[in-house]
Amino acid sequence: MRNQTHLPLHPLRSKVLDEIHARPFEPVRAPAVILRYVFWRNPEIDHRAVLRDWCKARDFEVPDESDRLFQWKDGSALLTFEAHSEFSSISWMGDPQHVPESDPFTVFGGPPPVLGELINALRITVRPFGRASDQLKSEEDEPNMLDLHNFDPGSLCVSKAASGQAIIATDFRQNEFGLTQFLVVDMGMRAINCGALTRWLAEIETYRAVALLGLPEAQRIAPKISALERELSGIFSDLASHKTTEENQEVLDRLYQIAIDLEALAIASQYRFAASRAYVGIVQQRLEALEESQHLGYVTFKTFLERRIAPAIQTCDAMERRQNALSEKISRASDLLRTQLDIDLQSQNQTLLKALNERSELQFRLQQTVEGLSVVAISYYAVSLLYYLYRGIPGAALLGVEELVALSIPVVILAVWLAIRRVRDRHIEDRS
């Protein structure tokens, strides 16, 4: 797009402004038929490559890799490819005369491109209301006028839509070709409004199917969550009993394993539950856009779908709440066990410190004893040396060698004791 404002443009400006036009309404004029096949994205299938080969085989223009919506004109029919985040769809819209009852695939020139695993398919038949004299007088005339004989009475939904400009009907069941059938009776709508109505019906059928993918996931993890809850309940019951530090550590390891298992379940299901809620929100928005009103006592689309979808989504929400509650319980149990382990560790440290203090006191006493013995031993050898020294000194014999030795003993003991104490004090100073 050419920048005529001469102002700096945000790099995503075009993308966000064009998003509102990404999936436009196509005008639909009665009579018409719309076939739509919705494929769940399979990572093992390159849906773009399948679409590219399918187009080349029919000499159709090949969409770009970035195209989320692409359309081809095939005579009077319109082919539409749409890519969504988790699924893709291929649609055909044209004259009902070109759709044989025996094989609806014929309109695609054979089977539609297999863009993944088929999760839903639908057929919307649009036809005019008819002459004024054909208008319904009573509910008994309804099946004959609207041709509702092919629908299941047990799940038949009929209502007026688009502010009373159309009558819509379906039973949300699949026919022999796997197609959910919708009937739209045009009572004077503009073509663009009819196109909007048919698109909303197609999106309601598409999103209500993918929204319910959360229910099997909830049912799959329910037994595993219950098993983890039972195991955690047993751990809480055992917390009151006194255990050794090793036993508490083993329990903490079990809690750690439970937390890992729970986190794995949460990672696997969290996105699916969130996506289901988002898809249900889209269904509810499209139901509001239909502007339904009750018709001759039949159940409306909104009433039927909310009665069926709401319990499934509530199951998913309940399972997610159980996961969150279990995670909080694991956290509390872990905190309690860590507190107990800290108390045990402090008790062990106090016992160890007490033992160290007793050992230090014993070592101090032994040291004092050794110092005393050392003074005696060193003094003995010193006095012995003095004895030999006095014997070698001339004139010492006159004073008496034994007397001199006896007088030297106190002096030697004091000198040895002072020397040993000085050495000990110096060692203490060096260590500090």
Side-chain angles (χ1 to χ4, degrees), residues 50 114 208 221 238 308 425:
V50 172
V114 182
R208 69 100 177 176
I221 68 173
D238 294 340
R308 298 298 195 273
D425 292 342

PDB file of all heavy atoms in Angstrom, residues 50 114 208 221 238 308 425:
ATOM      1  N   VAL A  50      -0.734 -30.750  -0.120  1.00  0.00           N
ATOM      2  CA  VAL A  50      -1.912 -31.443  -0.650  1.00  0.00           C
ATOM      3  C   VAL A  50      -2.760 -30.490  -1.471  1.00  0.00           C
ATOM      4  O   VAL A  50      -3.222 -30.824  -2.576  1.00  0.00           O
ATOM      5  CB  VAL A  50      -2.737 -32.053   0.513  1.00  0.00           C
ATOM      6  CG1 VAL A  50      -4.058 -32.601  -0.004  1.00  0.00           C
ATOM      7  CG2 VAL A  50      -1.937 -33.148   1.212  1.00  0.00           C
ATOM      8  N   VAL A 114      -7.599 -33.695   0.819  1.00  0.00           N
ATOM      9  CA  VAL A 114      -7.525 -34.187   2.197  1.00  0.00           C
ATOM     10  C   VAL A 114      -6.487 -33.340   2.937  1.00  0.00           C
ATOM     11  O   VAL A 114      -5.288 -33.615   2.899  1.00  0.00           O
ATOM     12  CB  VAL A 114      -7.157 -35.676   2.235  1.00  0.00           C
ATOM     13  CG1 VAL A 114      -7.124 -36.172   3.684  1.00  0.00           C
ATOM     14  CG2 VAL A 114      -8.153 -36.494   1.426  1.00  0.00           C
ATOM     15  N   ARG A 208     -18.647 -25.562  17.058  1.00  0.00           N
ATOM     16  CA  ARG A 208     -19.231 -26.380  18.127  1.00  0.00           C
ATOM     17  C   ARG A 208     -18.581 -27.760  18.131  1.00  0.00           C
ATOM     18  O   ARG A 208     -18.477 -28.410  19.176  1.00  0.00           O
ATOM     19  CB  ARG A 208     -20.746 -26.460  17.964  1.00  0.00           C
ATOM     20  CG  ARG A 208     -21.255 -27.262  16.778  1.00  0.00           C
ATOM     21  CD  ARG A 208     -21.715 -28.655  17.165  1.00  0.00           C
ATOM     22  NE  ARG A 208     -22.256 -29.371  15.998  1.00  0.00           N
ATOM     23  CZ  ARG A 208     -22.650 -30.623  16.045  1.00  0.00           C
ATOM     24  NH1 ARG A 208     -22.549 -31.309  17.156  1.00  0.00           N
ATOM     25  NH2 ARG A 208     -23.117 -31.223  14.955  1.00  0.00           N
ATOM     26  N   ILE A 221      -8.086 -37.650  31.190  1.00  0.00           N
ATOM     27  CA  ILE A 221      -7.221 -37.379  32.343  1.00  0.00           C
ATOM     28  C   ILE A 221      -7.940 -37.544  33.667  1.00  0.00           C
ATOM     29  O   ILE A 221      -7.285 -37.546  34.716  1.00  0.00           O
ATOM     30  CB  ILE A 221      -6.605 -35.967  32.256  1.00  0.00           C
ATOM     31  CG1 ILE A 221      -7.696 -34.899  32.433  1.00  0.00           C
ATOM     32  CG2 ILE A 221      -5.860 -35.771  30.951  1.00  0.00           C
ATOM     33  CD1 ILE A 221      -7.141 -33.498  32.517  1.00  0.00           C
ATOM     34  N   ASP A 238      -0.748 -39.507  56.442  1.00  0.00           N
ATOM     35  CA  ASP A 238       0.468 -39.975  57.114  1.00  0.00           C
ATOM     36  C   ASP A 238       1.297 -38.846  57.701  1.00  0.00           C
ATOM     37  O   ASP A 238       2.253 -39.109  58.445  1.00  0.00           O
ATOM     38  CB  ASP A 238       1.334 -40.777  56.135  1.00  0.00           C
ATOM     39  CG  ASP A 238       0.651 -42.067  55.712  1.00  0.00           C
ATOM     40  OD1 ASP A 238      -0.262 -42.510  56.433  1.00  0.00           O
ATOM     41  OD2 ASP A 238       1.027 -42.618  54.646  1.00  0.00           O
ATOM     42  N   ARG A 308     -26.562 -28.647  25.229  1.00  0.00           N
ATOM     43  CA  ARG A 308     -25.642 -29.749  24.945  1.00  0.00           C
ATOM     44  C   ARG A 308     -24.181 -29.367  25.229  1.00  0.00           C
ATOM     45  O   ARG A 308     -23.410 -30.177  25.745  1.00  0.00           O
ATOM     46  CB  ARG A 308     -25.760 -30.178  23.469  1.00  0.00           C
ATOM     47  CG  ARG A 308     -27.124 -30.713  23.072  1.00  0.00           C
ATOM     48  CD  ARG A 308     -27.492 -31.972  23.849  1.00  0.00           C
ATOM     49  NE  ARG A 308     -28.609 -32.687  23.252  1.00  0.00           N
ATOM     50  CZ  ARG A 308     -29.879 -32.445  23.500  1.00  0.00           C
ATOM     51  NH1 ARG A 308     -30.193 -31.468  24.337  1.00  0.00           N
ATOM     52  NH2 ARG A 308     -30.820 -33.156  22.926  1.00  0.00           N
ATOM     53  N   ASP A 425      49.860 -19.708  73.779  1.00  0.00           N
ATOM     54  CA  ASP A 425      49.199 -18.424  73.476  1.00  0.00           C
ATOM     55  C   ASP A 425      49.572 -17.931  72.083  1.00  0.00           C
ATOM     56  O   ASP A 425      48.741 -17.344  71.369  1.00  0.00           O
ATOM     57  CB  ASP A 425      49.591 -17.387  74.532  1.00  0.00           C
ATOM     58  CG  ASP A 425      49.015 -17.706  75.911  1.00  0.00           C
ATOM     59  OD1 ASP A 425      48.053 -18.521  75.960  1.00  0.00           O
ATOM     60  OD2 ASP A 425      49.520 -17.156  76.909  1.00  0.00           O
TER      61      ASP A 425
END
